[in-house]
Amino acid sequence: MAGSVSGMTVLADSVLGSIEGSPTPYHCTTTVARRLDGVGFQGIDAGDPLPSEPGRYYRIAGGSITAWVLDGAPDRFVVVGAHTDSPNLRVRSNADLTSAGWRQLGVEVYGGVLLNSWLDRDLGLAGRVTVRSTDGPAERLFCDARPILRIPQLAIHLDREIREAGLKLDPQGHVVPLWASGGAEPDFGAYLAGQVQTDPEDVLAWDVMAFDTQPPAVVGLRQDLVASARIDNQLSCFAGADALAGLASGPSLRPGSVAVLALFDHEEVGSQTATGADGSMLGHLLERIALAAGMDRRRYLDALSRSYVVSADGAHATHPNYVDKHEPNHQITVNEGVVVKRNANQRYASDAVSEGPFRQACADAGVPTQTYIHRNDLPCGSTIGPATAAALGVRTVDVGAPQLAMHSARELCGVEDIDHLRNALAAVWNAL
């Protein structure tokens, strides 16, 4: 991993390398699958019947992946959930633009982007392309890590008011990347055809997004911090994948417990999609696992009543320059442990009943924990936790690794908290 140092933990170095190699949700699921393949997991194609025998399995659906460890007849499901998507800029269908002689790409803003963080950065392109084939439309991934896009900020000489009024960006007009100066107008469809090695007329559709080409880096005087894109929430995805891989290659689960890792897409835009947490994907898969194991629906619903969900997402560390934006009695420090997130209005799913098992599992495993509560005078964000709890009717706790600059093109977290989160998730699977 570019920027790694001798003091990095093996896990942190692996997680950051995975983030660097996963510029989109589709690449993220592929990276997770490779990790699980290495410890004997078997991929199951969508629509294929699920195996009835004990084993280690996963299923990919677009930008989501669900993996599970089945050692015997299911009695309960212990689910760790996270999301693969991050706020970013996504290329429009009619992408080619020209303005003042510059060749540009039309983009849509995806999720709650901190737009200013995308200015004056070297951006690449990655995603999936659907192409025509003799067997019907086929999906191909690509990643162009060259710095081919840039969104230049307006010079201060042309915006004197910025000192007093601050930067104000119009997402329609001011956040349009350029990628060529003059000359013949590039054709984005032809560019994609070259990336996936097909003819331009065979490109049918695409989901393509910009990403920051700067690799993750270990920073700070003590080299105990990490700066990277997509910490929210690929850090949770890869920490969870490593915990599940270790579980699969180590001691058996508690009798009757099915360990499940569910990584969803589209959390940043509300999760109400076919591959999002606020949908039927996870519930249907859990029921299919139960039915394949010989259970009927009544026994499946009984198993749900004994089940448990950990929603792992980024948590807000206390910002030293904006301490007044944080609840004073619930300040959060990086490298000091996993954060349990509470909200009386259920923007997080944690309550006393769901929080207890997580805290006890962490305490027994020696993993430190902290508690986050949002200020009353600020609207609180949310996670996949409430959506999953509502869809399944299962005890759910919201947790995460603390970070700064959430939703920036480049976020910040602590090196030690990567291990803290991984160990906490493994502790829950081992304890429940």
Side-chain angles (χ1 to χ4, degrees):
M1 192 278 298
S4 62
V5 296
S6 58
M8 282 281 283
T9 68
V10 172
L11 173 66
D13 195 58
S14 172
V15 166
L16 296 181
S18 295
I19 291 175
E20 183 179 359
S22 303
T24 76
Y26 322 117
H27 292 82
C28 180
T29 60
T30 301
T31 302
V32 169
R34 282 200 303 266
R35 176 71 177 96
L36 298 178
D37 287 337
V39 290
F41 277 72
Q42 176 185 346
I44 307 297
D45 290 336
D48 285 355
L50 299 190
S52 58
E53 61 272 11
R56 284 85 174 104
Y57 308 102
Y58 67 82
R59 178 180 177 271
I60 294 177
S64 73
I65 181 171
T66 310
W68 63 99
V69 177
L70 180 65
D71 277 349
D75 179 67
R76 63 193 171 279
F77 300 94
V78 181
V79 180
V80 168
H83 66 89
T84 61
D85 62 320
S86 302
N88 61 13
L89 305 177
R90 305 199 170 192
V91 180
R92 296 182 185 272
S93 296
N94 297 327
D96 297 306
L97 298 172
T98 300
S99 179
W102 292 95
R103 311 309 182 189
Q104 296 177 282
L105 283 184
V107 296
E108 289 185 277
V109 175
Y110 176 86
V113 180
L114 281 175
L115 289 175
N116 63 290
S117 68
W118 287 78
L119 302 179
D120 301 324
R121 303 197 71 86
D122 298 332
L123 306 176
L125 286 170
R128 62 180 179 182
V129 183
T130 303
V131 301
R132 192 190 321 274
S133 75
T134 56
D135 297 324
E139 178 185 324
R140 297 181 186 175
L141 295 186
F142 83 96
C143 176
D144 187 350
R146 296 176 298 162
I148 59 174
L149 299 181
R150 196 166 177 90
I151 307 172
Q153 189 168 185
L154 183 64
I156 195 170
H157 315 83
L158 306 176
D159 185 15
R160 294 293 187 181
E161 293 77 20
I162 192 173
R163 286 198 179 104
E164 291 76 29
L167 178 64
K168 296 180 180 180
L169 293 174
D170 171 14
Q172 176 68 16
H174 298 160
V175 190
V176 185
L178 56 85
W179 70 334
S181 60
E185 183 172 353
D187 181 276
F188 186 67
Y191 161 80
L192 288 182
Q195 290 296 311
V196 299
Q197 298 181 336
T198 192
D199 294 328
E201 59 269 20
D202 288 334
V203 173
L204 300 175
W206 58 77
D207 296 307
V208 173
M209 50 206 75
F211 68 95
D212 181 13
T213 59
Q214 185 177 4
V218 180
V219 301
L221 178 64
R222 298 185 179 88
Q223 300 284 275
D224 59 350
L225 301 172
V226 169
S228 175
R230 300 181 299 282
I231 290 174
D232 175 19
N233 185 34
Q234 287 188 10
L235 187 155
S236 299
C237 295
F238 295 123
D242 190 85
L244 189 69
L247 183 73
S249 60
S252 297
L253 292 164
R254 294 185 55 155
S257 182
V258 182
V260 180
L261 177 69
L263 307 181
F264 300 97
D265 201 353
H266 303 132
E267 188 272 348
E268 299 293 357
V269 292
S271 295
Q272 290 184 327
T273 67
T275 54
D278 194 9
S280 58
M281 183 184 70
L282 178 59
H284 285 176
L285 184 65
L286 296 183
E287 186 169 8
R288 289 178 64 194
I289 293 171
L291 294 175
M295 300 171 67
D296 57 24
R297 183 165 175 78
R298 180 188 64 79
R299 291 173 61 197
Y300 163 65
L301 294 176
D302 288 343
L304 280 187
S305 70
R306 294 185 288 270
S307 296
Y308 190 67
V309 174
V310 178
S311 164
D313 203 343
H316 296 293
T318 301
H319 198 302
N321 298 338
Y322 301 90
V323 176
D324 59 326
K325 295 294 185 180
H326 300 269
E327 169 57 36
N329 285 340
H330 293 84
Q331 295 197 3
I332 303 298
T333 306
V334 298
N335 290 321
E336 292 294 331
V338 178
V339 178
V340 178
K341 300 185 283 186
R342 294 289 300 265
N343 181 260
N345 295 301
Q346 289 299 288
R347 299 294 289 168
Y348 305 129
S350 310
D351 59 23
V353 173
S354 65
E355 185 178 331
F358 181 82
R359 287 197 184 275
Q360 182 167 334
C362 286
D364 292 345
V367 179
T369 58
Q370 308 179 73
T371 304
Y372 179 84
I373 292 182
H374 210 64
R375 289 182 63 96
N376 285 323
D377 52 359
L378 291 175
C380 184
S382 192
T383 68
I384 65 166
T388 307
L392 298 179
V394 170
R395 293 173 300 162
T396 302
V397 63
D398 266 299
V399 307
Q403 65 177 97
L404 294 177
M406 189 181 292
H407 288 199
S408 170
R410 195 162 179 85
E411 300 167 322
L412 187 75
C413 72
V415 170
E416 293 179 48
D417 287 323
I418 300 175
D419 288 79
H420 289 152
L421 181 60
R422 184 266 182 209
N423 293 339
L425 301 179
V428 169
W429 274 321
N430 283 314
L432 301 179

